[in-house]
């Protein structure tokens, strides 16, 4: 059985499916204080690196690698001082942040600021990086649509077959599917045509994926993984599975209500980890899932974030 470790700022647990327990514990050497809230956590699996942002005066951040443990970067905080960080992702060793006034890139120990074009603004959620290193985020001119930035030019996608989707501020999750060359877009209940969209990078167009039922229209998380796409809904207690362009399975249960975050499993490409206010679910299909209760810990709330860092051949860290 593969070993798994779940860590947040105050909780560490060693998980074995037959005997899962939570322990109130900080790993030796963790510099993050329990009195400081963690804003974001994101992992770069190929480089065995996790970045942890904290809500102090300047979004102080740390990195963790299994080889060297924790490192802290106080000397680089000034570029983030006084702004709001909306989201953060790391890929191929490059960290990107969407902020109030522009994109921030951290690479080789240096922050670079890319101011938004005139009248551009980012939304509060939705950031993804493709295999070419381009940055995709929700927002654009007057906060409408989705924007891609290639390091030099900004391109705003807002003219589609479903303009009612992009006219509203409704994007809640963006996940890049490098294998299919699709950007998966989850939209919330406030959109006129809520649900799942895809942006086809090869065809340069957006397509709408029919929900099959209006009750599943309010999306909170989407995660492509292997041959499947997992969808978390927030207006109905359900995790849905999409295969071959349509929905094939629904897991409807009180313990899956309001999915806060969803991540692909580093060992099984057809499996994801799901986070909500009641616990963590390792989910493959409606007959194959493990549930880890967190209600007895202080890790509560519907806006928690999660990241996975692979350790060697048979273990991983799940950061929450």
């Amino acid at each position: 059985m593969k070993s798994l470790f779940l860590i947040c700022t105050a909780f560490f647990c060693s998980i074995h499916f037959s005997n899962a327990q939570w322990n109130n514990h900080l790993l030796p050497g963790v510099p993050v204080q329990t009195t400081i809230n963690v804003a974001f956590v994101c992992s770069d699996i190929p480089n065995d690196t996790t970045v942890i942002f904290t809500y102090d005066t300047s979004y102080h951040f740390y990195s963790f690698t299994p080889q060297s443990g924790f490192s802290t970067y106080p000397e680089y905080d000034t570029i983030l001082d006084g702004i709001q960080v909306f989201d953060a992702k790391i890929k191929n060793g490059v960290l990107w942040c969407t902020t109030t006034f522009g994109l921030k890139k951290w690479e080789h120990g240096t922050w670079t600021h890319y101011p938004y074009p005139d009248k551009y603004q980012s939304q509060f959620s939705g950031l993804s990086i493709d295999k070419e290193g381009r940055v995709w985020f929700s927002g654009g001119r007057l906060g409408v649509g989705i924007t891609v930035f290639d390091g030099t030019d900004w391109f705003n996608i807002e003219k589609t077959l479903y303009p009612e989707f992009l006219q509203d501020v409704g994007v809640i999750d963006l996940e890049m599917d490098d294998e299919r060359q699709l950007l998966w877009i989850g939209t919330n209940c406030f959109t006129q045509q809520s649900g799942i969209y895809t942006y086809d990078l090869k065809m340069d167009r957006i397509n709408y994926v029919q929900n099959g039922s209006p009750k599943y229209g309010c999306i909170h998380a989407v995660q492509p993984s292997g041959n499947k796409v997992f969808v978390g809904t927030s207006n109905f207690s359900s995790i849905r599975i999409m295969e071959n362009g349509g929905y094939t399975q629904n897991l409807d249960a009180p313990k899956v209500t309001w999915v806060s975050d969803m991540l692909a499993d580093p060992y099984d490409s057809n499996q994801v980890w799901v986070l909500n206010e009641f616990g963590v679910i390792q989910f493959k299909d409606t007959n194959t899932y493990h549930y880890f209760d967190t209600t007895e810990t202080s890790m509560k709330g519907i806006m928690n974030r999660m990241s996975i860092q692979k350790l060697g051949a048979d273990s991983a860290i799940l950061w929450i």
Side-chain angles (χ1 to χ4, degrees):
M1 181 62 67
K2 299 179 178 70
S3 58
L4 182 78
F5 304 94
L6 283 82
I7 305 172
C8 66
T9 54
F11 293 96
F12 163 82
C13 69
S14 178
I15 290 295
H16 301 281
F17 295 144
S18 60
N19 185 24
Q21 291 184 351
W22 289 90
N23 299 306
N24 187 2
H25 182 65
L26 275 173
L27 285 177
V30 175
V32 182
Q33 301 299 310
T34 58
T35 55
I36 297 178
N37 290 323
V38 174
F40 304 105
V41 57
C42 53
S43 296
D44 189 0
I45 291 178
N47 291 294
D48 293 329
T49 302
T50 289
V51 172
I52 303 156
F53 272 87
T54 61
Y55 275 126
D56 58 14
T57 56
S58 54
Y59 288 95
H60 195 98
F61 84 95
Y62 308 84
S63 68
F64 174 86
T65 65
Q67 294 78 23
S68 59
F70 281 91
S71 299
T72 182
Y73 301 93
E75 63 270 34
Y76 305 125
D77 283 354
T78 54
I79 198 168
L80 295 173
D81 195 15
I83 68 172
Q84 184 171 1
V85 177
F86 296 147
D87 209 343
K89 293 288 175 62
I90 184 171
K91 190 170 185 175
N92 298 325
V94 181
L95 172 68
W96 287 93
C97 303
T98 51
T99 75
T100 316
F101 305 114
L103 293 177
K104 308 287 186 184
K105 180 180 74 172
W106 185 82
E107 185 178 18
H108 304 309
T110 301
W111 280 109
T112 304
H113 174 55
Y114 299 93
Y116 295 134
D118 186 39
K119 298 183 180 179
Y120 268 57
Q121 64 187 59
S122 174
Q123 299 304 324
F124 285 93
S125 59
L127 171 63
S128 191
I129 306 167
D130 65 22
K131 63 181 181 180
E132 305 297 332
R134 295 175 298 183
V135 182
W136 302 73
F137 62 93
S138 59
R141 283 185 288 268
L142 303 179
V144 173
I146 295 168
T147 296
V148 57
F149 176 65
D150 64 6
T152 302
D153 297 320
W154 307 76
F155 178 62
N156 187 216
I157 304 166
E158 57 177 332
K159 305 291 186 183
T160 73
L161 296 175
Y162 297 93
E164 63 273 20
F165 148 64
L166 290 174
Q167 287 173 356
D168 290 334
V169 182
V171 175
I172 203 162
D173 196 16
L174 293 178
E175 296 294 338
M176 183 60 64
D177 189 340
D178 286 330
E179 182 176 345
R180 301 179 182 92
Q181 285 291 281
L182 295 175
L183 179 69
W184 292 88
I185 306 161
T187 63
N188 63 26
C189 301
F190 301 104
T191 55
Q192 298 176 35
Q193 186 85 27
S194 60
I196 294 289
Y197 292 76
T198 61
Y199 176 74
D200 190 318
L201 277 66
K202 294 176 293 186
M203 301 296 293
D204 187 25
R205 61 169 293 165
I206 285 183
N207 296 302
Y208 176 63
V209 181
Q210 295 294 332
N211 295 318
S213 172
K215 70 181 181 181
Y216 296 118
C218 193
I219 305 302
H220 205 264
V222 57
Q223 180 65 64
S225 186
N227 296 322
K228 301 178 179 178
V229 179
F230 296 83
V231 178
T233 67
S234 55
N235 61 336
F236 190 78
S237 301
S238 181
I239 301 171
R240 312 190 73 196
I241 297 178
M242 189 187 304
E243 297 176 275
N244 300 317
Y247 291 103
T248 59
Q249 299 180 64
N250 297 329
L251 176 62
D252 297 333
K255 63 187 176 185
V256 302
T257 185
W258 194 277
V259 174
S260 290
D261 208 354
M262 188 181 290
L263 291 172
D265 190 293
Y267 297 105
D268 188 339
S269 62
N270 287 305
Q271 182 167 266
V272 298
W273 288 86
V274 177
L275 176 67
N276 65 15
E277 70 267 40
F278 299 119
V280 178
I281 306 168
Q282 187 191 43
F283 181 74
K284 190 168 186 176
D285 54 50
T286 53
N287 296 315
T288 311
Y289 62 94
H290 301 278
Y291 175 66
F292 306 103
D293 194 344
T294 61
T295 55
E296 297 304 315
T297 75
S298 64
M299 194 176 68
K300 301 182 178 73
I302 62 175
M303 295 308 293
N304 287 333
R305 299 291 293 273
M306 175 174 60
S307 193
I308 293 178
Q309 181 178 3
K310 190 173 181 178
L311 297 178
D314 62 353
S315 62
I317 295 178
L318 181 62
W319 300 84
I320 302 174

